[in-house]
Amino acid sequence: MINWVRLGSWWNSVRPASREEFRSDAVAGIPGAISSVPDGMASSVLVGVNPVYGLYASFAGPIAGGLTSSTRLMVVTTTSAASLAAGSALSGLSEAERPAALFVMTMVAGLAMVAAGLLRLGKYTRFVSHSVMIGFLTGVAVNIVLSQLGDLTGAPAEGDNSVAKAIDVITSPSAMNGWTIVAGALAASIVVLLGRGRWTPYAAIVALVVPTLLVNLVGADDVAVVSDVGNIPSGVPLPHLPQFGALSLDVVWGALAIAAIVLVQGAGVAEAAPNSDGTRSSTNRDFIAQGAGNVASSLFRGQPVGGSVGQTALNRSAKAIGRWAAIWSGIWMLVIVVALGGVVERVVMATLAAVLVVAAIGSIRTGQLKTIWRAGGSSQIALSATFIATLFLPIAAAVGIGVLISLMLQLNQDLMDLRLVRLVPLPDGRFDERAVPAALPDREVCIIDAYGSLLYAGARTVQVRLPDPSTADRPVVILRLRGRMSVGATVVVILADYAERVHRSGGRLMLTGVDPTVAALLVKVGGERLSDMIDVYTASSVVGESTIEALREGEAWLERNGAR
């Protein structure tokens, strides 16, 4: 049953604000559509399939993504990283098997992205470290350059990875084709020369056309063209359900790797293209939008898509006002595919390789690489490990290694940041931070504050660094827990053990600044025995209030027990 209220709310959020905005975005979408022709075809080269699948993705993705995204200028279309991941996942299949598996992979990736948005997983993108992401993107760029040497030279490229293929090409100069090299070099030169200023949106399309005309004029029939890879069907493409019989474990893992890559990159696009009216983008809604783009791409026999940094930047430079610029880009792309399919078949493959190589080299962020390298050992290890994994391993494995490294870096940083200090009261009511003593003092109140995470390994680190109570006489320990909204079972066990050790020395353990939910958990997990040994002071809105209260109670307890 149609929910007309939600449908109306959605339409109000996507409809153009005025006819002027609608017309302006229609014009702004033209450069994006033109540049999507070489970009889409080149992305299919990375996957190892007919370039038409990149063209189909380049009209389906922007339309579906533009209608659903919260970042209004985001263009959901083919990206090099997603294409390389798809190609890596499908590398073990024959050319005849790849298309069906590709469409299923695109559908699964889209559904995974929609699920991530509905489950509100957007906040977790920030856990992928900057060093890992730059290492991965740099590896992708180098992979693209190395993998295109065969098409740039006309030489066959054999090998298990891009490095092996590049070595095979370089060591076989006799297999290279002279006119292929000329076409590739000319295309690269055109992209570089026209890649600045007002001609930027048209640089890649000119780089395809001019060398292709030259090859046809000289009659170099041995130069590879798009039709050698596959024919471009005529007419309007119609939706088809993918053949789910092509589903396999490799396809699923590839789809999940693509989803992870696209979601992290998409979050970066949203940051780079904020909404002009000041409204904040929703990472989760953008997840759903990119998922919708992939589902639509799969239905129209396209390849994976995601939020594109380059196309979104082009959208902004074309003076786009709202989301309809991306939608119009997809519509114009569909017109191009239908009207010029026969012309596209004659495009020289070396020109597509040249567009990819120039774009890949331009995407390497040398400034950020230098900054990360200067940051120290852990950043260098994360950058290098992810870069090497991306070069020599399947992309799905490289993504997994990158995520694992990010988690390890986070845990390591938490441990490095964890610090215990002793707070000594001053006459004016303030506290002086001092080093924590190795052993608790006799018959004194010792206030200890902890900086950093107390979860997992952090809890064990606290256990080691807490002052030894075994040699003290009637010590009182106050441990501040303000800001700890949750604690794990490890923390409860450690607190119970420490409270028992303090109790054996005739002392008391007090916890201050405790969140009410944490206090309830301590009682629930620790039971009555823990409650008898630990005094819990819940946090108030006044910082330090519960600690001062505990300090007074601790001093009064020492007085009552004859410790003073």
Side-chain angles (χ1 to χ4, degrees):
M1 189 178 197
I2 297 176
N3 189 322
W4 294 106
V5 174
R6 289 188 178 181
L7 186 61
S9 176
W10 166 78
W11 173 244
N12 288 333
S13 70
V14 302
R15 69 177 182 178
S18 63
R19 291 183 180 179
E20 180 61 31
E21 178 181 322
F22 188 69
R23 287 193 294 266
S24 179
D25 280 348
V27 175
I30 295 174
I34 293 173
S35 65
S36 289
V37 175
D39 288 351
M41 295 171 67
S43 295
S44 293
V45 172
L46 291 177
V47 181
V49 294
N50 189 332
V52 74
Y53 303 143
L55 297 179
Y56 288 168
S58 298
F59 83 76
I63 294 175
L67 287 170
T68 51
S69 67
S70 71
T71 304
R72 296 173 186 175
L73 295 185
M74 176 187 283
V75 181
V76 179
T77 187
T78 56
T79 69
S80 297
S83 301
L84 197 63
S88 175
L90 301 177
S91 60
L93 300 179
S94 66
E95 291 185 10
E97 295 173 319
R98 285 187 184 182
L102 174 65
F103 306 149
V104 173
M105 179 185 296
T106 305
M107 175 65 75
V108 174
L111 294 175
M113 294 176 206
V114 171
L118 294 175
L119 294 173
R120 309 184 69 80
L121 301 182
K123 59 185 177 182
Y124 294 107
T125 57
R126 63 178 180 264
F127 286 99
V128 179
S129 78
H130 185 62
S131 302
V132 165
M133 196 61 196
I134 294 298
F136 173 74
L137 292 177
T138 305
V140 166
V142 174
N143 250 327
I144 291 172
V145 173
L146 297 178
S147 66
Q148 295 310 300
L149 292 183
D151 283 340
L152 274 176
T153 61
E158 301 292 337
D160 295 331
N161 53 60
S162 61
V163 177
K165 291 177 180 178
I167 293 174
D168 186 45
V169 171
I170 294 170
T171 55
S172 306
S174 60
M176 298 180 184
N177 182 288
W179 279 112
T180 299
I181 295 174
V182 170
L186 179 58
S189 301
I190 291 172
V191 173
V192 172
L193 292 174
L194 297 183
R196 298 171 183 171
R198 62 178 183 173
W199 290 101
T200 299
Y202 314 102
I205 199 72
V206 174
L208 265 58
V209 172
V210 173
T212 297
L213 291 175
L214 174 64
V215 168
N216 281 275
L217 284 174
V218 300
D221 296 331
D222 55 346
V223 174
V225 296
V226 168
S227 59
D228 295 329
V229 179
N231 295 323
I232 305 296
S234 59
V236 178
L238 299 176
H240 295 80
L241 282 174
Q243 300 175 15
F244 287 99
L247 190 66
S248 67
L249 187 59
D250 287 341
V251 167
V252 172
W253 280 119
L256 295 179
I258 290 167
I261 294 167
V262 166
L263 296 181
V264 174
Q265 283 191 316
V269 172
E271 292 180 6
N275 293 328
S276 58
D277 62 356
T279 57
R280 295 187 63 180
S281 296
S282 166
T283 303
N284 294 307
R285 184 173 168 185
D286 286 343
F287 278 12
I288 295 173
Q290 292 172 97
N294 277 276
V295 171
S297 179
S298 172
L299 292 175
F300 284 95
R301 294 174 295 171
Q303 63 189 68
V305 294
S308 169
V309 176
Q311 285 293 325
T312 302
L314 178 58
N315 204 21
R316 297 181 70 188
S317 66
K319 309 300 181 185
I321 299 175
R323 67 178 69 252
W324 280 88
I327 298 169
W328 270 110
S329 173
I331 295 172
W332 292 130
M333 185 67 200
L334 178 59
V335 173
I336 293 172
V337 170
V338 174
L340 302 176
V343 176
V344 170
E345 287 186 343
R346 301 303 304 164
V347 171
V348 172
M349 291 296 294
T351 62
L352 296 176
V355 169
L356 280 170
V357 168
V358 174
I361 293 174
S363 70
I364 297 176
R365 307 174 188 180
T366 53
Q368 294 191 32
L369 287 171
K370 291 178 181 177
T371 300
I372 292 170
W373 201 256
R374 291 170 184 158
S378 61
S379 297
Q380 293 172 0
I381 292 172
L383 176 72
S384 303
T386 311
F387 174 75
I388 294 171
T390 306
L391 280 185
F392 293 100
L393 297 176
I395 295 297
V399 170
I401 289 174
V403 172
L404 181 61
I405 290 174
S406 293
L407 293 174
M408 291 177 64
L409 286 175
Q410 180 69 37
L411 290 173
N412 182 63
Q413 191 62 46
D414 287 344
L415 290 177
M416 291 178 64
D417 289 344
L418 184 60
R419 185 167 61 97
L420 297 184
V421 296
R422 180 180 182 181
L423 301 181
V424 178
L426 297 175
D428 60 3
R430 295 181 298 167
F431 293 92
D432 182 33
E433 282 191 359
R434 298 181 188 177
V436 173
L440 286 176
D442 294 333
R443 306 169 189 174
E444 284 187 27
V445 178
C446 183
I447 305 174
I448 298 174
D449 200 357
Y451 294 105
S453 174
L454 298 184
L455 295 175
Y456 307 116
R460 294 297 183 187
T461 303
V462 169
Q463 183 181 32
V464 173
R465 295 181 182 176
L466 283 171
D468 181 13
S470 60
T471 60
D473 178 31
R474 282 171 281 183
V476 175
V477 184
I478 297 176
L479 182 60
R480 294 190 74 236
L481 296 179
R482 188 175 183 87
R484 316 291 174 181
M485 303 301 293
S486 62
V487 296
T490 305
V491 173
V492 177
V493 171
I494 288 171
L495 289 176
D497 176 71
Y498 193 69
E500 188 170 351
R501 294 171 62 198
V502 172
H503 184 71
R504 283 200 298 265
S505 296
R508 295 292 298 174
L509 174 62
M510 300 176 170
L511 305 180
T512 65
V514 181
D515 184 86
T517 58
V518 173
L521 180 64
L522 290 172
V523 173
K524 180 179 178 181
V525 176
E528 293 183 3
R529 185 165 175 272
L530 185 63
S531 301
D532 291 340
M533 293 188 296
I534 299 178
D535 297 322
V536 177
Y537 297 79
T538 55
S540 68
S541 60
V542 179
V543 177
E545 184 176 51
S546 62
T547 300
I548 293 174
E549 180 185 355
L551 174 60
R552 293 171 181 163
E553 291 288 342
E555 291 175 340
W557 183 86
L558 288 172
E559 290 284 353
R560 289 195 303 271
N561 287 272
R564 291 192 173 184

